[in-house]
Amino acid sequence: MRTLTVQLADRSYPIHIGPGLLKRVELMIERMPQKAAALVTNTTVEPLYSRGLVAALEASGVRVVRVVLPDGEAHKNWESLNRIFDLLIAGRCERNTTVIALGGGVVGDLAGFAAAIYQRGTPFIQVPTTLLAHVDSAVGGKTAINHPLGKNMIGAFYQPRVVVIDTDTLETLPAREFAAGVAEVIKYGAIRDAAFFAWLEQHIERVIARDPDALGYAIERSCINKAEVVGQDERETGQRALLNYGHTFGHAIEAGVGYGAWLHGEAVAAGMVLAAKLSRRLGFLGEQEVARITSLLRRARLPVDGPELSVERYFELMAHDKKVEGGRLRFILLRGLGEAFLASDVPVVAVEEALAQRHASDV
Amino acid sequence: MRTLTVQLADRSYPIHIGPGLLKRVELMIERMPQKAAALVTNTTVEPLYSRGLVAALEASGVRVVRVVLPDGEAHKNWESLNRIFDLLIAGRCERNTTVIALGGGVVGDLAGFAAAIYQRGTPFIQVPTTLLAHVDSAVGGKTAINHPLGKNMIGAFYQPRVVVIDTDTLETLPAREFAAGVAEVIKYGAIRDAAFFAWLEQHIERVIARDPDALGYAIERSCINKAEVVGQDERETGQRALLNYGHTFGHAIEAGVGYGAWLHGEAVAAGMVLAAKLSRRLGFLGEQEVARITSLLRRARLPVDGPELSVERYFELMAHDKKVEGGRLRFILLRGLGEAFLASDVPVVAVEEALAQRHASDV
């Protein structure tokens, strides 16, 4: 087991990474104010991991209320949130009851947001079971639900007490979801860790094959990057925004094809290629670097072409994105591999050109 | 104009109190990151004060999106919250758009909670127009909506950037709502300010008659008390809980008769009498002090008898209250006028006896 720390003064918390950690419930209990928990999971994860975790917690004297949600991004909405509240209230959960999220990014976002606003805030623990959640969504305290007009429109910054990453949970993850998580791993290399990007170019096939050593290293390196950024800019007033590389296009893609049709990581992959093309168009990135990003994503079995939406539709969807400020579109761009920056006032025509060339072969 | 400060380090904010402040929009604009606002109000306040405020803001170059909600505690729910989000999104409100609450406690709670979770947090300003909001709900950052099974079950601690209290707005406040606000004024005297309680015993008729000097003093003294408590215990881990004196019974009363049938301050008034009787039953308060509290509330034209619910029903409703911890009922009690304390493990039989004597004449 490796342990990192997210440095946030009196709200600092550990991230434990390793195999077999689902059985080590003491890692959770030591961060709970009392032995009472509400375990939030989904119908897919429940038969795989929930029963064992509940049994282990109960064997240690923890009272556990269970909340099982339907699976999928389409359910990251008020309805699921309200289902959590109904069961928390029915189960007499109190301010000191710890909400535990067991699942992927959707479960983590829903359970975390529920914990943030149930009785104005209850303790929260992340136990992610997908690669995307391991390397991204479980770390850093962003929680939210979707609104019909925009992804993650309603939410809170709310930090967990601890993140417990059991790498064994990836054994059951479907290949498509696994690849979607790799998109965010590659993102860390692209935006702030050129050495890690180069390592991934060497070892991406081992990562995809879920070789324990390669995968463990990729998860740890991703979490280190995420923890550093969050520790410096918790509420995204500055450099944390760089983590959204590929996400302005990505969110438009997710909304444009209908939430759930593309996985978040898939949309981000295609979004990163578009953002790289935009960076190149503005003279910040060379053709060869765009090709390296595209090639690495393709080797990771990720989509690199944007879907068939009109340029007008892309713009319409992006205008609802949170990264709009003062009416102008802002973009995270690259000025080389491993160095992202925030560009305001990106010319509309450059974005149109990048979108017109949304097939990877259009360079 | 008098200005107090709520001391919360980098989130400290001013409270301005005085007549005619609705016209002094610079007090709001100086606390806004950009000249964009969403004004949230209700159908009652809208024709009285909203148009003038919007005109004044627009004359100063502020772009204003308007949100008008139905009036009343019955609307402090998810439906109203979602209506705010729909209009914020339709009006292209961004992360730097300031949400302004113009109205009473319900508007403040709804608009404040909306600001807390819209795009994970937008700036927020309180412009309260009822006495209850002036002296209590607009100060301190508690925001929430009700759940069918419990009042304020879903919410956030989210501080405003500034509170602007225009005391002229009380001229149009109906007598019943005005009295409900006086309940919270009296509460400050009862729980932590014996000199203020004695002053109120001298001057309550002037306050009720809305004499500007007496009323201005009562509002200022109430805000000073509230600001001190919030500055010391923002998230209610300790003494802030004392502000809930009368509220455990009060919330049960509100839920038991159906939200909106009794005003919050009315329920708190009857709840304070019940809590005083409970304090007496446990030997903390004398008969004469219970009588002084009851008499002052009665002179303020507030209910001092609990409604006709069975003792069992009171218990059922109180068990859902947030102040339950570890399965035990906790109560804020008085050990003399001006000195409240938190009692855990209050014997059930004493609560039953206090409830059985829920008519003020039963002492």
Side-chain angles (χ1 to χ4, degrees):
Chain A
M1 183 176 86
R2 289 291 306 270
T3 298
L4 319 171
T5 302
V6 181
Q7 301 287 357
L8 288 166
D10 58 331
R11 291 174 298 117
S12 295
Y13 57 92
I15 306 171
H16 304 297
I17 305 169
L21 298 193
L22 270 182
K23 295 192 186 85
R24 303 211 22 211
V25 289
E26 75 276 11
L27 298 173
M28 301 172 207
I29 294 171
E30 70 190 10
R31 306 287 294 180
M32 291 164 57
Q34 63 180 46
K35 288 193 168 184
L39 185 81
V40 180
T41 189
N42 69 27
T43 48
T44 306
V45 175
E46 205 270 336
L48 294 171
Y49 303 114
S50 168
R51 288 161 198 180
L53 178 55
V54 169
L57 286 166
E58 287 179 342
S60 296
V62 179
R63 188 175 80 91
V64 184
V65 170
R66 299 165 204 225
V67 181
V68 183
L69 303 171
D71 190 7
E73 178 83 23
H75 299 283
K76 205 173 102 172
N77 55 23
W78 171 256
E79 202 174 358
S80 297
L81 196 65
N82 218 23
R83 184 172 161 74
I84 298 174
F85 295 141
D86 288 346
L87 292 169
L88 291 181
I89 294 172
R92 307 242 156 173
C93 293
E94 301 169 0
R95 276 189 185 162
N96 278 332
T97 300
T98 300
V99 174
I100 302 176
L102 176 71
V106 172
V107 164
D109 273 16
L110 276 165
F113 188 40
I117 65 176
Y118 182 67
Q119 300 200 4
R120 299 197 185 93
T122 56
F124 174 50
I125 289 177
Q126 286 271 22
V127 186
T129 62
T130 66
L131 182 57
L132 185 126
H134 286 181
V135 300
D136 181 21
S137 57
V139 175
K142 273 198 182 179
T143 72
I145 57 173
N146 297 328
H147 184 282
L149 292 175
K151 190 170 154 66
N152 296 329
M153 286 302 280
I154 311 299
F157 289 96
Y158 197 68
Q159 299 296 338
R161 299 285 179 102
V162 57
V163 181
V164 178
I165 299 176
D166 183 340
T167 50
D168 288 345
T169 57
L170 299 182
E171 288 170 13
T172 55
L173 193 67
R176 191 178 158 201
E177 284 203 50
F178 186 88
V182 175
E184 299 282 356
V185 173
I186 292 171
K187 183 192 73 180
Y188 292 112
I191 65 169
R192 70 191 307 275
D193 195 342
F196 185 38
F197 192 92
W199 181 91
L200 286 166
E201 289 184 310
Q202 292 285 315
H203 301 285
I204 193 69
E205 278 73 24
R206 283 178 63 206
V207 171
I208 291 292
R210 309 190 198 188
D211 170 276
D213 288 341
L215 190 50
Y217 178 80
I219 293 170
E220 188 186 333
R221 190 83 172 239
S222 297
C223 286
I224 289 170
N225 274 291
K226 180 82 184 257
E228 279 177 9
V229 171
V230 170
Q232 286 161 35
D233 178 25
E234 181 186 8
R235 296 183 73 90
E236 198 168 314
T237 55
Q239 67 147 307
R240 183 166 181 169
L242 303 184
L243 296 176
N244 290 325
Y245 176 67
H247 284 58
T248 298
F249 290 117
H251 286 170
I253 291 171
E254 281 187 271
V257 298
Y259 287 127
W262 283 43
L263 296 176
H264 175 68
E266 293 171 338
V268 167
M272 287 195 288
V273 175
L274 280 167
K277 286 181 178 174
L278 180 57
S279 305
R280 187 184 163 231
R281 218 139 260 294
L282 296 166
F284 295 111
L285 210 58
E287 187 178 328
Q288 203 208 339
E289 289 162 310
V290 177
R292 281 177 68 188
I293 292 172
T294 308
S295 164
L296 183 57
L297 290 166
R298 195 179 269 134
R299 285 165 65 198
R301 302 174 195 174
L302 283 160
V304 290
D305 300 333
E308 287 304 326
L309 305 169
S310 69
V311 169
E312 293 68 32
R313 182 76 181 127
Y314 271 102
F315 267 92
E316 198 180 300
L317 292 162
M318 288 191 296
H320 280 298
D321 194 85
K322 293 182 304 303
K323 281 162 288 300
V324 178
E325 189 164 271
R328 302 186 298 265
L329 277 173
R330 300 190 300 156
F331 279 92
I332 318 298
L333 301 178
L334 299 184
R335 59 162 64 92
L337 276 175
E339 197 183 343
F341 70 103
L342 178 65
S344 311
D345 270 329
V346 170
V348 167
V349 64
V351 180
E352 286 172 347
E353 287 172 0
L355 282 168
Q357 306 198 311
R358 63 182 167 280
H359 294 284
S361 49
D362 306 330
V363 181
Chain B
M1 183 178 86
R2 288 291 305 270
T3 298
L4 318 171
T5 302
V6 181
Q7 300 286 358
L8 288 166
D10 59 331
R11 289 174 299 116
S12 296
Y13 57 92
I15 305 171
H16 305 297
I17 305 170
L21 299 194
L22 269 183
K23 295 192 186 84
R24 302 207 26 208
V25 289
E26 75 277 11
L27 298 172
M28 301 171 208
I29 294 170
E30 70 191 11
R31 305 288 292 179
M32 292 164 57
Q34 63 181 45
K35 288 193 168 183
L39 185 81
V40 180
T41 189
N42 68 29
T43 48
T44 306
V45 175
E46 204 271 336
L48 295 170
Y49 303 114
S50 169
R51 287 159 200 183
L53 179 55
V54 169
L57 286 166
E58 287 179 342
S60 296
V62 178
R63 189 176 79 91
V64 184
V65 170
R66 300 165 202 224
V67 181
V68 184
L69 302 171
D71 190 8
E73 178 82 22
H75 299 284
K76 205 173 103 172
N77 54 24
W78 170 254
E79 204 174 357
S80 298
L81 196 65
N82 218 24
R83 185 173 160 73
I84 299 174
F85 295 140
D86 288 346
L87 292 168
L88 292 181
I89 294 172
R92 307 243 156 172
C93 294
E94 300 169 2
R95 277 190 185 160
N96 278 332
T97 300
T98 299
V99 175
I100 302 176
L102 175 72
V106 171
V107 165
D109 273 15
L110 276 166
F113 188 39
I117 64 176
Y118 182 67
Q119 299 200 4
R120 299 199 185 93
T122 55
F124 174 50
I125 289 176
Q126 286 273 20
V127 186
T129 62
T130 67
L131 183 56
L132 186 125
H134 286 180
V135 300
D136 182 21
S137 57
V139 176
K142 272 196 183 180
T143 72
I145 57 173
N146 297 328
H147 185 281
L149 292 175
K151 192 170 153 64
N152 295 330
M153 285 302 281
I154 311 300
F157 289 96
Y158 197 69
Q159 299 296 338
R161 298 286 179 103
V162 57
V163 182
V164 178
I165 299 176
D166 183 340
T167 51
D168 288 345
T169 57
L170 299 182
E171 287 170 13
T172 54
L173 193 67
R176 191 177 158 200
E177 283 203 51
F178 185 88
V182 176
E184 300 281 357
V185 173
I186 292 171
K187 184 193 72 179
Y188 292 112
I191 64 169
R192 69 191 309 274
D193 194 342
F196 184 39
F197 192 92
W199 182 91
L200 286 167
E201 289 183 310
Q202 293 284 313
H203 301 286
I204 192 69
E205 278 75 23
R206 283 178 62 208
V207 171
I208 290 293
R210 310 188 197 188
D211 171 276
D213 290 342
L215 190 50
Y217 178 79
I219 292 170
E220 188 186 334
R221 191 80 172 242
S222 297
C223 286
I224 290 170
N225 274 290
K226 181 80 185 257
E228 279 178 9
V229 171
V230 170
Q232 286 161 35
D233 178 24
E234 182 187 8
R235 296 184 74 90
E236 196 168 316
T237 55
Q239 69 147 306
R240 183 165 182 170
L242 303 183
L243 296 175
N244 290 325
Y245 176 66
H247 284 57
T248 298
F249 289 118
H251 287 170
I253 291 170
E254 281 187 272
V257 298
Y259 288 126
W262 283 43
L263 295 176
H264 175 68
E266 293 172 336
V268 167
M272 287 196 286
V273 175
L274 280 167
K277 286 180 178 174
L278 179 58
S279 305
R280 189 184 161 229
R281 217 139 263 291
L282 296 167
F284 295 111
L285 209 60
E287 186 177 327
Q288 204 208 338
E289 289 161 310
V290 177
R292 281 177 68 189
I293 292 171
T294 308
S295 165
L296 184 56
L297 290 167
R298 195 180 268 131
R299 285 164 65 199
R301 301 173 196 173
L302 283 159
V304 291
D305 300 333
E308 288 304 326
L309 305 170
S310 69
V311 170
E312 293 69 32
R313 182 77 180 124
Y314 271 102
F315 267 92
E316 197 179 299
L317 292 162
M318 288 190 296
H320 280 297
D321 195 85
K322 293 182 305 302
K323 280 162 289 299
V324 177
E325 190 164 90
R328 302 186 298 265
L329 276 172
R330 300 191 299 157
F331 278 93
I332 318 296
L333 301 178
L334 299 183
R335 59 163 62 94
L337 276 175
E339 196 182 343
F341 70 104
L342 177 66
S344 310
D345 270 328
V346 171
V348 168
V349 64
V351 181
E352 286 171 347
E353 286 172 1
L355 282 168
Q357 304 198 315
R358 65 183 165 278
H359 294 284
S361 51
D362 306 329
V363 180

